[in-house]
């Protein structure tokens, strides 16, 4: 402990990092050719004791970010009505209270379902909803994608080194 304190004082500060991430973030193509970007965005935290120790990391809960990079020009809105998270250990979480997420043409067809994944465990996420076109025609939307929990990365290092690694 004395070595950590001395290193922190001599280098300006030490940083403890603890990151919990998921693999599997990607753009998936649906049967009709529509592309949907899906990724899990962790909760980020920072804190510590000034000039001695910084703590930073990422942890649950994770927001599910949904993005339609190439929406068709006649789409009026996209809505998600159900999100089911099936964890590797057999437990299931369901978010199904009417419309869970809705985006209109006036903005971008993207957004985050906050706190969708509550644990750092591999999971399959299934999404159901619809795409509404100008004129009222609706098309069903069904997506299922696997996310792999990556090993937790934890380390203590001088802050100047950590900042240099972040670009």
């Amino acid at each position: 402990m004395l070595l950590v304190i001395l290193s922190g004082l001599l280098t300006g500060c030490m940083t403890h990092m603890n990151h919990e991430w998921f693999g599997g973030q990607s753009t998936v193509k649906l049967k009709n050719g529509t592309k949907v970007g899906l990724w899990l965005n962790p909760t980020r935290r920072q804190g510590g004791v000034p000039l001695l120790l910084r703590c930073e990391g990422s942890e649950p809960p994770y927001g599910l970010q949904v993005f339609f990079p190439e929406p068709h020009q006649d789409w009026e809105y996209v809505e998600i009505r159900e999100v089911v998270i099936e964890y590797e250990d057999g437990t299931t979480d369901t978010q199904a209270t009417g419309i869970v997420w809705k985006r209109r043409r006036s903005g971008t067809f993207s957004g985050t379902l906050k706190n969708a994944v509550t644990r750092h465990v591999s999971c399959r996420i299934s999404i159901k909803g619809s795409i509404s076109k100008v004129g009222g025609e609706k098309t069903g939307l069904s997506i299922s994608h696997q996310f792999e929990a990556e090993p937790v990365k934890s380390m203590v290092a001088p802050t100047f080194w950590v900042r240099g690694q972040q670009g």
Side-chain angles (χ1 to χ4, degrees), residues 13-18 45-49 53-57:
C13 190
M14 295 295 287
T15 297
H16 173 258
M17 296 186 315
N18 190 53
R45 62 175 168 72
Q46 289 186 354
V49 179
L53 180 66
R54 288 183 66 241
C55 295
E56 65 178 56

Side-chain angles (χ1 to χ4, degrees), residues 8-143:
L9 291 173
L10 294 174
T11 63
C13 190
M14 295 295 287
T15 297
H16 173 258
M17 296 186 315
N18 190 53
H19 291 286
E20 299 180 28
W21 297 93
F22 276 88
Q25 272 87 261
S26 65
T27 300
V28 296
K29 193 177 258 191
L30 304 179
K31 290 177 186 175
N32 66 2
T34 300
K35 292 180 183 176
V36 183
L38 299 172
W39 62 95
L40 292 173
N41 189 19
T43 300
R44 301 195 192 283
R45 62 175 168 72
Q46 289 186 354
V49 179
L51 300 175
L52 185 60
L53 180 66
R54 288 183 66 241
C55 295
E56 65 178 56
S58 56
E59 60 192 19
Y62 301 86
L64 175 63
Q65 295 191 345
V66 181
F67 175 66
F68 293 85
E70 300 169 0
H72 196 275
Q73 60 192 10
D74 67 350
W75 288 9
E76 187 174 354
Y77 61 88
V78 176
E79 64 184 20
I80 295 173
R81 295 186 174 273
E82 179 180 80
V83 179
V84 177
I85 294 96
E86 299 172 71
Y87 293 100
E88 183 178 64
D89 63 8
T91 58
T92 302
D93 287 337
T94 303
Q95 292 182 3
T97 54
I99 298 172
V100 178
W101 182 93
K102 185 174 185 175
R103 295 295 180 270
R104 294 197 167 277
R105 176 48 122 186
S106 58
T108 60
F109 290 108
S110 67
T112 302
L113 294 159
K114 294 185 180 196
N115 304 327
V117 176
T118 57
R119 298 184 297 139
H120 186 243
V121 176
S122 295
C123 60
R124 174 165 293 284
I125 299 178
S126 300
I127 299 169
K128 292 185 180 173
S130 62
I131 299 170
S132 294
K133 296 180 180 181
V134 175
E137 181 186 343
K138 279 191 176 187
T139 304
L141 175 66
S142 181
I143 307 165

